[in-house]
Amino acid sequence: MKTEEVIKLYEDYVMNTYTRMPISLAKGKGSRVWDLEQREYLDFFPGWGVSGLGHVHPKITSAIKEQAKKLIHVSNNYYHHLQARLAKKIIDLSFPGKIFFCNSGAEANEAAFKLARIYGQGKRFEIIAFENSFHGRTIAAIAATGQKKYQEGFEPLPSGFIHVPYNNIKAVRNALSERTIAVILELIQGEGGIKVADFEFVNELYRLCKEKDVLLIVDEVQTGMGRTGEFFCFQNYGIIPDIMTLAKALGGGLPIGAMVARSGVAECFRPGMHASTFGGSPLVCKAALTVIETIQKDRLLNNCRRLGNYLKEKLSVFKEKFSFVREVRGMGLMLALELDISGKTVVDQCRKRGLLINCTQERILRIMPAINVSKKDIDKAVGILEDVLKEHQNTLPY
């Protein structure tokens, strides 16, 4: 089958809910993927950050094959040792509490909203979120998301979500009321353009939430699992959230989400209050345990910090070379170039040269390679990007 035939089948039978690039990927290995015509690409935005250890990692593939021969799914009415072991592992790496397993980041955030409202006992129910944020595509998640484009056409949205400017503690203070039960925060706004929360703002917010008994929900769906050089991004800030949500890289490519709540909050959920049919199956838990063990054994947090700094330095040079590169920002291997020109054209040209990256907010290039990426692959990717940026520089009228 050729790519054109696949695209035709999509046009005929798959709902048109995504903006897709005209390639059909057939296989992957590490930081590389190949399409149906055997063209090779360096993937520096693997699966929206899901493939945090790259494609078809041998340890994860082996773990999935081994578990698939034993047991793939059981109802959550029964116990399973892999879900129990994964819960303990995540708690040991984060903070004392308990975990609810689901399938995605949106589901994890939905669970967090429900848990917060139960904690508020019907008297406090409002959740403060931030402008430019992104918390998923379900109806409550888009109500929490601070970008109108994701909400338009779906009104009326669930009430109880208030949006304030990012990195603005005064705005949070002004929004607090006797109805406030939680604040949900991305420490790096991914879809919002890799905007990093200020250290002072986060610590002021943490103190304010403690003072007012308002739950601090940290959305680590994209920043979690080593992406910023720590297992979880909150560990870069010296705080401990009340609730943390995870997904994307947790399952090494398999769908799993998790809502982690501290002791004293987690116990508000009782049997029957919340559920997920597929959440925390033996198969995905085996994959997630292998992801964590691989990050630890292969010292990938160190690799992420070291090569994240290296990549950021390489990208920072572009700010001096190209007049339309406005800013380079990010943490670990979650980086962005903000441009004065359209990012889509740059992304398309990179793809034609064999590099896959992402554009968000129309002018921001999002670059998030696997955390086990090599220096050699970074050099190759930077070279492709530089060639494309040079072409744009040559077309400018100044």
Side-chain angles (χ1 to χ4, degrees), residues 65-84:
K65 286 169 66 177
E66 178 191 329
Q67 184 57 39
K69 293 175 186 173
K70 296 176 181 174
L71 191 62
I72 293 174
H73 174 77
V74 293
S75 157
N76 273 307
N77 292 121
Y78 303 105
Y79 295 102
H80 195 276
H81 70 98
L82 290 173
Q83 188 178 122

Side-chain angles (χ1 to χ4, degrees), residues 161-334:
F161 294 95
I162 296 170
H163 297 97
V164 300
Y166 195 55
N167 275 332
N168 188 327
I169 194 65
K170 185 178 178 183
V172 177
R173 286 184 187 278
N174 291 339
L176 283 170
S177 74
E178 70 277 2
R179 299 181 298 278
T180 307
I181 189 57
V183 176
I184 183 165
L185 170 72
E186 292 170 286
L187 292 163
I188 302 177
Q189 290 186 329
E191 186 66 24
I194 313 293
K195 292 186 176 170
V196 182
D198 295 338
F199 186 85
E200 285 186 5
F201 165 73
V202 172
N203 279 270
E204 277 291 309
L205 179 64
Y206 176 69
R207 284 191 286 271
L208 183 61
C209 287
K210 289 293 176 199
E211 177 190 327
K212 302 292 185 183
D213 188 28
V214 166
L215 301 177
L216 179 58
I217 304 169
V218 172
D219 180 337
E220 295 252 16
V221 169
Q222 194 162 111
T223 54
M225 309 315 298
R227 173 58 60 190
T228 65
E230 297 288 346
F231 254 102
F232 309 109
C233 192
F234 76 80
Q235 292 163 331
N236 293 299
Y237 288 84
I239 64 164
I240 297 176
D242 298 293
I243 298 174
M244 170 176 71
T245 54
L246 299 171
K248 291 199 185 294
L250 177 57
L254 293 190
I256 180 172
M259 189 266 290
V260 187
R262 69 165 169 81
S263 301
V265 177
E267 293 78 8
C268 293
F269 265 169
R270 297 184 299 280
M273 280 185 165
H274 198 53
S276 175
T277 298
F278 295 100
S281 75
L283 190 70
V284 296
C285 287
K286 180 69 178 181
L289 278 165
T290 307
V291 166
I292 292 172
E293 289 166 4
T294 303
I295 291 172
Q296 291 177 316
K297 287 180 182 174
D298 294 354
R299 300 177 180 274
L300 294 182
L301 297 183
N302 288 337
N303 193 66
C304 181
R305 284 191 289 266
R306 182 172 62 84
L307 291 186
N309 289 335
Y310 178 73
L311 177 55
K312 194 172 185 181
E313 285 175 12
K314 288 275 187 179
L315 296 177
S316 295
V317 173
F318 292 164
K319 197 178 168 187
E320 306 302 322
K321 282 188 172 180
F322 305 110
S323 58
F324 52 84
V325 175
R326 181 180 292 181
E327 186 179 6
V328 177
R329 57 176 178 260
M331 188 185 296
L333 284 167
M334 188 170 180

